[in-house]
Amino acid sequence: MAISRRGILAGGAALPLVATAASAKTLAKPHVSSADLFGPKPGEARLHSNENPYGPSPRAVRAVQEIAAKGSYYPGNAAGLLAERIAERHGLTPDHVVVGAGSMEVLCAATSAFGADGPILAPDLFWDAPARFAERRGIAVERVPMRDDLHIDLAAMRRAHRADHGLVHIVNPNNPTGLELPPEELRMFVDEKSERTVVLVDEAYLELAERPEEASMVDLVRAGKNVVITRTFSKIYGLAGLRVGYAIAQPDAIRRMRGQMTSFGGNMAGLAAALASYGDDGFLDMSRRMVIEGRRMVMNGVTAAGLTALPSSTNFVLVKVPDADAVRDGMRARGVLIRGAFGDWTEWSRVSLGTPEDLSRYVTALPEVIAGIG
């Protein structure tokens, strides 16, 4: 059937009908359920992505259900309202906060914005996806070796720091090590270096630290320091799939970061869940207790298997093994998903803290897998 431009403009109905008829066979595919797309598959212990199996909170679930029927609309000022609540909690103004589609968006905005001023200085082993994003945009990343105990070497970073660095990037507690820097040692470092360079502290796992309020560097933002703090709703809040994160910094730094962001503060469902979750202390306390119990299970299992692990302040544990990739493959054969090697650290295997049932499967399989490697 021939269709003229005039016919389309005048009637507008013919084209969709023709397209629908032509593509009917293509569109007639079997229905895919959400169980096949999201979360663990049946019989699978999902312990490789640092997710929180205890979230979202009931409040967040209700908020998403209530908002689903309005999914055809943009989120409006939901991100602004969340920024107001975050700012109020920390004694700041909304101009000190930017909300993004997961902390990945705000982290990449920071590495792009401040990396444009000079190289990024970072430890050798950390969650470096935002730094690698900057590298792909032509920004240099200079890495400082870790201490022998796999802690971030702040003394070495202090010596390596130069006036031409555009950004200093630290994750605390760190990923994938799970190690937490002594708060006062980190505070002195950040205070000193922020006099010349923007210092980014990724606090994705802060709520799981031993003393979260003491460990956070947000007080340096209140003091007017040139510091960027990033947080996420993915971990303790259990909203990883709903993608909400935020940064706290000086207003001029927030403005620079906004210029590098592509979303309008995230999606409606994620923002509704975050607003409902923020301040849900009962859920957060429960989630933290379960994570700590999971850490205890893994540490006991690691010891029983004749292995060692780093002390963790996060929802994962880094275990010393003969071959991390071989352990990953052996676990996968038993339906347990964990991470393989991180770059050159081939003898360190990261396991996330899932449900007690899933962690029991990991602990039971661990000695069998290690024996199979030998």
Side-chain angles (χ1 to χ4, degrees), residues 50-51 149-151 171-181 204-212 215 235 288-300 302 308-320 348-354 359 362:
N50 299 347
E51 296 158 330
D149 59 4
L150 289 190
H151 268 287
V171 179
N172 187 58
N174 198 15
N175 178 14
T177 66
L179 295 170
E180 180 184 351
L181 287 162
Y205 300 93
L206 180 85
E207 292 90 350
L208 296 166
E210 185 176 350
R211 294 182 298 276
K235 308 305 176 185
R288 180 180 167 85
R289 285 196 307 271
M290 296 302 292
V291 167
I292 291 173
E293 179 58 31
R295 285 202 300 242
R296 188 176 298 115
M297 285 183 64
V298 170
M299 296 301 284
N300 289 340
V302 166
T308 59
L310 297 179
S312 175
S313 295
T314 61
N315 64 339
F316 56 86
V317 175
L318 196 65
V319 184
K320 184 72 178 292
W348 291 97
S349 169
R350 194 191 72 187
V351 54
S352 303
L353 301 175
L359 293 178
Y362 168 81

Side-chain angles (χ1 to χ4, degrees), residues 7-126:
I8 294 172
L9 294 175
L15 183 58
L17 289 174
V18 172
T20 300
S23 58
K25 292 183 179 180
T26 303
L27 296 176
K29 294 182 179 179
H31 173 70
V32 179
S33 70
S34 61
D36 296 324
L37 290 174
F38 309 116
K41 294 179 173 56
E44 178 182 87
R46 186 178 168 106
L47 306 176
H48 65 320
S49 295
N50 299 347
E51 296 158 330
N52 180 356
Y54 306 108
S57 78
R59 292 184 188 179
V61 173
R62 287 194 298 271
V64 172
Q65 291 170 338
E66 291 170 1
I67 208 71
K70 296 184 178 181
S72 58
Y73 299 101
Y74 290 113
N77 191 43
L81 178 57
L82 182 57
E84 288 177 12
R85 294 186 181 177
I86 293 167
E88 182 180 10
R89 169 170 290 193
H90 294 290
L92 297 164
T93 72
D95 290 338
H96 288 86
V97 181
V98 62
V99 175
S103 62
M104 183 64 174
E105 183 179 31
V106 293
L107 282 162
C108 288
T111 57
S112 297
F114 306 115
D117 297 337
I120 297 172
L121 182 68
D124 204 11
L125 181 60
F126 73 115

Side-chain angles (χ1 to χ4, degrees), residues 50-324:
N50 299 347
E51 296 158 330
N52 180 356
Y54 306 108
S57 78
R59 292 184 188 179
V61 173
R62 287 194 298 271
V64 172
Q65 291 170 338
E66 291 170 1
I67 208 71
K70 296 184 178 181
S72 58
Y73 299 101
Y74 290 113
N77 191 43
L81 178 57
L82 182 57
E84 288 177 12
R85 294 186 181 177
I86 293 167
E88 182 180 10
R89 169 170 290 193
H90 294 290
L92 297 164
T93 72
D95 290 338
H96 288 86
V97 181
V98 62
V99 175
S103 62
M104 183 64 174
E105 183 179 31
V106 293
L107 282 162
C108 288
T111 57
S112 297
F114 306 115
D117 297 337
I120 297 172
L121 182 68
D124 204 11
L125 181 60
F126 73 115
W127 192 68
D128 62 354
R132 288 187 283 109
F133 175 82
E135 282 185 306
R136 292 193 293 273
R137 304 185 75 179
I139 295 169
V141 178
E142 299 175 4
R143 297 172 181 256
V144 177
M146 310 296 286
R147 288 183 357 193
D148 291 342
D149 59 4
L150 289 190
H151 268 287
I152 294 172
D153 193 336
L154 289 182
M157 291 191 69
R158 183 176 280 108
R159 292 191 297 270
H161 180 246
R162 303 186 308 270
D164 69 326
H165 281 119
L167 183 71
V168 177
H169 189 176
I170 290 175
V171 179
N172 187 58
N174 198 15
N175 178 14
T177 66
L179 295 170
E180 180 184 351
L181 287 162
E184 286 312 311
E185 183 180 340
L186 177 59
R187 186 166 284 103
M188 289 177 61
F189 174 85
V190 175
D191 189 13
E192 174 189 338
K193 296 307 170 189
S194 64
E195 292 297 322
R196 292 194 295 174
T197 306
V198 176
V199 180
L200 168 62
V201 184
D202 179 359
E203 295 184 347
Y205 300 93
L206 180 85
E207 292 90 350
L208 296 166
E210 185 176 350
R211 294 182 298 276
E213 293 302 321
E214 180 181 339
S216 177
M217 299 295 113
V218 170
D219 61 301
L220 294 178
V221 179
R222 283 195 295 271
K225 301 295 182 178
N226 207 11
V227 180
V228 176
I229 306 297
T230 57
R231 300 267 186 92
T232 181
F233 282 86
S234 294
K235 308 305 176 185
I236 191 72
Y237 288 93
L239 300 180
L242 291 172
R243 312 309 303 134
V244 184
Y246 59 95
I248 303 172
Q250 301 307 320
D252 59 338
I254 292 295
R255 284 191 291 271
R256 289 191 64 182
M257 291 172 62
R258 286 186 191 278
Q260 299 291 331
M261 294 173 64
T262 58
S263 81
F264 298 105
N267 66 85
M268 180 183 286
L271 290 167
L275 284 164
S277 299
Y278 200 61
D280 187 353
D281 294 336
F283 170 76
L284 297 184
D285 290 344
M286 180 279 296
S287 186
R288 180 180 167 85
R289 285 196 307 271
M290 296 302 292
V291 167
I292 291 173
E293 179 58 31
R295 285 202 300 242
R296 188 176 298 115
M297 285 183 64
V298 170
M299 296 301 284
N300 289 340
V302 166
T303 300
L307 303 171
T308 59
L310 297 179
S312 175
S313 295
T314 61
N315 64 339
F316 56 86
V317 175
L318 196 65
V319 184
K320 184 72 178 292
V321 297
D323 183 327

